[in-house]
Amino acid sequence: MDESGMSCQRSDQEFDLGRLRREAGLRQLEFHPELPSTNDRALELAAAADVEVPALVLASRQTAGRGRGGNRWWSAPGALTFSWIVDAGRIGLSTRQRPKLSLAAGLAVCEALQGLDEAGGARGVAFQLKWPNDVFLEGRKLGGILVEAPPGRPGRLVVGIGINLNNSLDSAPAEVRETAVSFIDVCGRVLSPTEALIRVVRHLRDCMEQLAEDAEGLLQRWEERSLFSGSLVLLDLGSRRVAGMCRGVDIDGALVLQTEHGLERFFSGVVRRFE
Ligand code: BTN
């Protein structure tokens, strides 16, 4: 771990930890060259009485990254993998709004990367969202979000984020290459990981605050980036599949589908385009 606040340089990824600490509004920062999972470490920290939030656990490399639904999260050097620990109550997020936090986090990642990409004078690629919180680029998954809560600390949440930023998928397992994408492979440019992280963390805070004050406005912005709105989709519910026209998300963050039974709302499932 390096908590020195100095620039931390490795052959694969360089983070300016001092800048990160100053500019990302963090009260605590833990950097690890390698960890099994930043969410596992963040859950430990979040359960401790003396953690100062917002806090960030950052790793250059994860050896056992976790995804939603018990999936593994493949991450290679150059990927951004981190977990943000926050106190939802302190941000003013009511219990009712908390299930929407993962949607807000997906939006934060999209808007942060969009801003960074365009700030570099690029033509700008479109970062989109697949319900509930997958970040997509060019029709493939660029990043994922795993929100978890530590036991015994109501209000504290861990928002784990993985983004394929400067890591090529050339060395990824075949099943990852089939569905995923990385920024460097699509755009051929390296983005500053420090700058990307600062922007994402700031957007996370802003999106959480907007969720607390104006959930409708936030969901409207989410909708503008929705990959499948207006498309025919298949929702995989595990035991059954539902086909319908995607009508976006409602005020509760539910996915709304126009099915053969009318407008239906769903709170879980995996969405696929109906081809
Ligand atoms: C998903 O799309 O299934 C969610 C993937 C979340 C991956 C990130 S990487 C940083 C953090 N640590 C983990 O072990 N998982 C999350």
Side-chain angles (χ1 to χ4, degrees):
M1 185 196 338
D2 180 344
E3 295 186 66
S4 63
M6 304 297 286
S7 173
C8 175
Q9 187 161 4
R10 290 173 50 82
S11 55
D12 46 349
Q13 185 92 294
E14 183 183 328
F15 290 103
D16 182 338
L17 299 180
R19 199 179 148 213
L20 199 49
R21 191 172 282 115
R22 283 192 307 276
E23 297 181 28
L26 298 169
R27 299 192 63 200
Q28 200 167 319
L29 169 63
E30 238 189 55
F31 171 78
H32 299 257
E34 185 174 293
L35 264 187
S37 153
T38 58
N39 260 39
D40 288 352
R41 174 61 190 144
L43 283 169
E44 268 172 32
L45 267 183
D50 57 351
V51 67
E52 292 195 65
V53 293
L56 192 83
V57 177
L58 170 66
S60 269
R61 227 178 90 76
Q62 288 185 129
T63 52
R66 296 187 290 107
R68 291 194 305 133
N71 292 330
R72 289 203 60 167
W73 180 260
W74 174 84
S75 42
L80 267 189
T81 50
F82 61 95
S83 302
W84 189 59
I85 308 170
V86 70
D87 188 316
R90 216 177 279 175
I91 294 183
L93 216 52
S94 66
T95 319
R96 183 164 171 256
Q97 303 293 22
R98 288 179 201 171
K100 284 173 261 181
L101 195 142
S102 63
L103 276 91
L107 179 65
V109 172
C110 278
E111 292 185 345
L113 296 181
Q114 193 83 61
L116 179 56
D117 184 32
E118 291 175 3
R123 75 182 157 92
V125 281
F127 295 88
Q128 291 183 289
L129 288 159
K130 179 166 99 72
W131 185 88
N133 56 13
D134 288 344
V135 175
F136 267 57
L137 180 62
E138 307 265 296
R140 284 165 173 260
K141 183 161 168 170
L142 177 83
I145 291 153
L146 180 65
V147 179
E148 297 182 300
R153 294 277 170 203
R156 265 189 211 163
L157 292 167
V158 167
V159 182
I161 300 184
I163 305 169
N164 294 316
L165 197 68
N166 297 325
N167 54 309
S168 172
L169 295 193
D170 285 353
S171 61
E175 67 274 17
V176 173
R177 283 204 312 273
E178 264 168 34
T179 54
V181 75
S182 79
F183 180 86
I184 196 168
D185 286 344
V186 169
C187 300
R189 283 177 292 117
V190 171
L191 289 180
S192 153
T194 303
E195 184 65 35
L197 200 45
I198 289 170
R199 285 181 185 244
V200 171
V201 174
R202 284 181 172 175
H203 274 79
L204 278 171
R205 194 198 45 222
D206 292 351
C207 285
M208 300 299 141
E209 285 173 3
Q210 193 184 0
L211 182 58
E213 287 157 18
D214 172 24
E216 205 173 326
L218 181 104
L219 291 167
Q220 228 159 42
R221 267 162 53 213
W222 194 99
E223 194 67 55
E224 284 160 18
R225 292 190 180 269
S226 169
L227 185 64
F228 287 148
S229 284
S231 305
L232 206 48
V233 299
L234 255 193
L235 181 68
D236 191 341
L237 294 166
S239 55
R240 66 189 177 106
R241 287 174 167 192
V242 179
M245 185 66 79
C246 181
R247 297 291 182 214
V249 290
D250 73 1
I251 190 65
D252 295 319
L255 178 74
V256 181
L257 297 185
Q258 176 83 52
T259 73
E260 55 180 352
H261 305 294
L263 279 183
E264 290 192 79
R265 290 156 26 98
F266 298 90
F267 287 92
S268 62
V270 178
V271 189
R272 305 183 207 286
R273 195 187 291 274
F274 205 133
E275 320 225 58

